[in-house]
Amino acid sequence: YLCACAALYHAYPTRLDIALDDYDLDTAVSFADVAKAALVGNFSGCRKENIHVHLSAKRFDGKMHFGASVVFGSPSSAARLCYYDKQVESSGEQPCYRWEGRYRDFKAQQIWDALVDISPQNLDAATNHLAAVVTGTVRFLDRQTLPAVKNLERLAPLAWWVQLVWRVGSFARLAAKKQVFSIEKTITWLYGAVAPTLAVLEDVLEGKDFRDFIRDLRESGRSRHTRK
């Protein structure tokens, strides 16, 4: 339904958040393992200075509950991964640990494009795709055993990450570089983001004033446009 509406109204995503919840708390990845990997640098996918570990506490069910979260990536990153105790965050309403991928701009577009290509009737494929994106946002690798090795393919993945990927089924790596948008995507953006604003301006300015505004807007664009 969402994909159909997006196609109808020429919409495109500026941000996508994907949650992967683990309700089996006994076998879920421990926060200690994730925090250790973050602190010693056993990961690939973001800068070490953009790692944040937080502790939290909430009172519910008549007692204090303590939780933790580990965040990989800065708020301005195109892809960010968080692992946190959803049970504490939700005051006991959702008893699970959550892997949450937050995607912006060109990485959100990559995920969306792949999702649109999946048949609406194939819900399992769509779910598997989204789960694989989350597990592939940050790769957890053993950098301590072979600290001089720069080729990530030669580094062994951490055991708990292998288990997580096995449970999910796979992991998907998003392109690191921004994609060059085609003229079709530019036109889609114009329909989705600019057309409604122009419609409002036409109602306000009316007739000749609106035509003059469009002409001035076009001339301003031409004066700043650099051909390559």
Side-chain angles (χ1 to χ4, degrees):
Y1 173 77
L2 185 60
C3 293
C5 288
L8 179 63
Y9 295 105
H10 302 279
Y12 71 100
T14 56
R15 173 168 168 166
L16 290 175
D17 290 357
I18 306 172
L20 182 60
D21 293 342
D22 193 340
Y23 284 86
D24 191 346
L25 303 186
D26 292 331
T27 61
V29 177
S30 76
F31 286 98
D33 286 340
V34 180
K36 180 181 177 181
L39 295 175
V40 303
N42 280 343
F43 61 87
S44 172
C46 73
R47 297 179 181 274
K48 192 171 183 179
E49 59 266 26
N50 291 330
I51 302 298
H52 305 280
V53 179
H54 306 280
L55 300 178
S56 60
K58 274 191 177 182
R59 177 178 291 277
F60 57 92
D61 294 337
K63 59 182 179 180
M64 290 297 297
H65 295 261
F66 299 92
S69 64
V70 186
V71 182
F72 296 83
S74 69
S76 61
S77 299
R80 201 178 192 204
L81 181 68
C82 308
Y83 186 50
Y84 62 97
D85 190 331
K86 186 64 178 176
Q87 180 170 240
V88 173
E89 192 267 349
S90 66
S91 298
E93 293 184 5
Q94 292 179 262
C96 64
Y97 294 155
R98 171 170 289 183
W99 293 96
E100 184 174 293
R102 301 169 185 172
Y103 309 94
R104 301 169 60 248
D105 303 328
F106 69 102
K107 290 203 172 181
Q109 186 68 51
Q110 287 181 61
I111 299 168
W112 182 258
D113 289 344
L115 193 61
V116 168
D117 288 339
I118 298 173
S119 169
Q121 285 74 38
N122 197 344
L123 185 59
D124 286 343
T127 302
N128 292 340
H129 165 64
L130 295 176
V133 167
V134 174
T135 54
T137 301
V138 174
R139 299 170 67 189
F140 294 93
L141 309 167
D142 181 4
R143 292 180 179 269
Q144 308 307 304
T145 303
L146 300 172
V149 173
K150 302 300 182 183
N151 185 352
L152 299 181
E153 303 306 321
R154 293 181 57 193
L155 299 178
L158 299 184
W160 58 262
W161 187 61
V162 172
Q163 181 68 15
L164 176 65
V165 171
W166 178 81
R167 292 177 64 194
V168 170
S170 64
F171 73 95
R173 295 167 62 184
L174 300 174
K177 294 182 179 179
K178 292 186 178 181
Q179 298 176 330
V180 178
F181 288 172
S182 65
I183 186 64
E184 289 82 6
K185 290 186 177 180
T186 301
I187 291 173
T188 297
W189 173 78
L190 287 171
Y191 271 102
V194 179
T197 302
L198 288 178
V200 172
L201 285 173
E202 185 177 20
D203 291 340
V204 173
L205 295 177
E206 299 181 347
K208 184 176 182 299
D209 288 340
F210 179 72
R211 292 193 296 273
D212 289 344
F213 168 76
I214 294 297
R215 185 191 65 246
D216 293 342
L217 185 67
R218 182 184 60 204
E219 293 305 319
S220 174
R222 288 185 182 280
S223 68
R224 292 182 288 117
H225 176 62
T226 302
R227 295 185 180 276
K228 295 182 180 180

